């Protein structure tokens, strides 16, 4: 029997990417839907999958890699439901409602866990037993995989909101996070950078001092990830990470902060193979969503 | 067939506790051996187990909960071996060498992972799907369990060395860690407190300002654990945590730092049920070592 197709959704803060793919990952159809409200977004997704199924064949399983906060515990009655997001309309929205008409199993995980899975299977995380994927973009988030399974506690992780050492004399900016002010997301995410300097680091010409400042905040997450997860590799993606020079500055700052305490072959001098950018570029998310769908097939 | 006995070792920085127990945890014999060098310590342990076996019966499995850094990956050829510890004589020492004559399987984990397991089975961590146990004592370390299994990456975690926000104007102390200066262990472990104030917080009379200062450093680990592991509960043990008022100050500081961002039933107002002290007190470690031995029995 020919294996049924996979429906995949990468749900981001500004747009959803939806795809229908074969089991081997070949994408047969793809669409983009702006992240407005579930009332507009969910019917548009369902229509795309209906049309694609008519053209390419039945969809046997769905994989969703989504922004959060969202319930990703398969044992929870609220699995696949957005929890307390400030995004209007999304609290309580549930992917199963969008996709229920297809009667197919659905696996839901976070966007960063999905991207981590994509990178682990086909990108820069191949061969890693423990892998951390972080996005520094509109928000900051980290997914950690162990043997290809995403880790969680009572919820998915919220790495963006870790506190960071912040010298208010050298950097008087109070931060942009409505909860914490100068947590990592409040200092290093794209909106924070634009709020303080009027434009992105790249548009500013990637000045070395500003790049180093932001890199050192991000390095505090990198250091925490090493000490609290000991991943075999750290992948850093997202829009902010595309700033020229930022990855190198992040490597230097992380190495300086670790100060040689952790000795392991993974931590190469200069961290060039330890801290890397996504091998799949912007395709990590949808690749991961397809991989989640493959798991839903069982 | 009557089940064979369990040999257990809790290996600490100043002393080893060794025990022989029944499968139900009943301790039949116990001994303390000072942590000098493996050349003195290992033969003393072997003699204790030989004598206890003569009196009580054959030992069928060993569990070891040890200070680190130590290889705790059962798949590693160096499983059970101390790695790069500055403690003279211990680098390269291996528990299998100490216990090889008994021809019994050995499970080795870290002291904090062992204590976490003890607390999960019989103490303050019962019923937790994800549990973090932290010791604030001579050193600082955290073990995290998921479904009773300790988490690790390429190594066990090294939570003591996370960086902390440190206002040098309010607190000019440079810290005590030979690698990082003012990392958490450099600011909040017992030796750091004694180095800066001449005695322990308890001996100082637990002054509220100093207790609050230390609590806020520890709270930065608590916050990181929440955001990067989302445990159902945080247990804080170790000598420093016995300071009167410190647990309450830690709860307040952690709640302030989380700032209401994480909403979950686990995080009760005041964190009284979320941040707790060990239910087994100082017995968590040896209880965990016995539990590890039970696993070695298969």
């Amino acid at each position: 029997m020919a294996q049924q197709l996979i429906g995949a959704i990468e749900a981001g803060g500004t747009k959803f990417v939806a795809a229908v793919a074969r089991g081997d990952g070949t994408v047969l159809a793809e669409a983009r839907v702006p992240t407005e409200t579930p009332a507009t977004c969910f019917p548009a997704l369902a229509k795309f999958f209906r049309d694609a199924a008519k053209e390419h064949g039945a969809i046997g399983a769905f994989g969703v890699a989504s922004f959060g906060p969202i319930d990703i515990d398969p044992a929870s009655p609220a699995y696949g439901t957005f929890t307390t997001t400030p995004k209007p309309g999304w609290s309580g929205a549930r992917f199963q409602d969008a996709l229920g008409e297809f009667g197919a199993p659905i696996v839901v995980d976070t966007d960063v866990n999905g991207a981590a899975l994509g990178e682990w299977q086909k990108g820069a995380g191949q061969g890693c037993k423990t892998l951390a994927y972080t996005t520094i973009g509109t928000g900051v988030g980290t997914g950690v995989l162990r043997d290809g399974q995403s880790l969680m506690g009572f919820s998915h992780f919220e790495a963006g909101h870790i506190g960071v050492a912040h010298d208010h004399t050298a950097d008087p900016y109070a931060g942009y996070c409505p909860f914490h002010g100068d947590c990592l997301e409040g200092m290093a995410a794209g909106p924070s950078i634009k709020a303080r300097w009027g434009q992105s680091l790249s548009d500013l010409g990637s000045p070395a001092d500003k790049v180093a400042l932001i890199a050192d905040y991000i390095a505090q997450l990198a250091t925490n990830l090493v000490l609290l997860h000991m991943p075999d590799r750290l992948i850093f993606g997202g829009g902010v990470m595309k700033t020229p020079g930022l990855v190198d500055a992040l490597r230097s700052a992380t190495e300086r902060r670790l100060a040689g305490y952790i000795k392991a072959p993974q931590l190469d001098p200069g961290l060039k193979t330890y801290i890397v950018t996504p091998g799949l570029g912007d395709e990590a998310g949808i690749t991961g969503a397809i991989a989640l769908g493959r798991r839903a097939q069982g």
Side-chain angles (χ1 to χ4, degrees), chain A residues 54-122:
Chain A
K54 251 180 235 160
E55 191 178 340
H56 300 287
I59 296 170
F62 286 93
V64 178
S66 176
F67 69 89
I70 187 164
D71 188 329
I72 60 164
D73 179 3
S76 162
Y79 181 53
T81 308
F82 288 96
T83 55
T84 56
T85 172
K87 235 181 249 295
W90 288 96
S91 281
R94 191 172 194 209
F95 280 102
Q96 288 86 340
D97 295 335
L99 304 172
E101 68 183 81
F102 299 93
I106 304 172
V107 165
V108 180
D109 210 328
T110 63
D111 44 7
V112 280
N113 285 340
L117 179 58
E119 290 290 327
W120 183 73
Q121 289 195 341
K122 302 193 169 186

Side-chain angles (χ1 to χ4, degrees), chain A residues 119-144:
Chain A
E119 290 290 327
W120 183 73
Q121 289 195 341
K122 302 193 169 186
Q126 293 176 69
C128 291
K129 192 164 171 69
T130 309
L131 175 68
Y133 177 97
T134 300
T135 183
I136 313 282
T138 311
V140 173
T142 299
V144 183

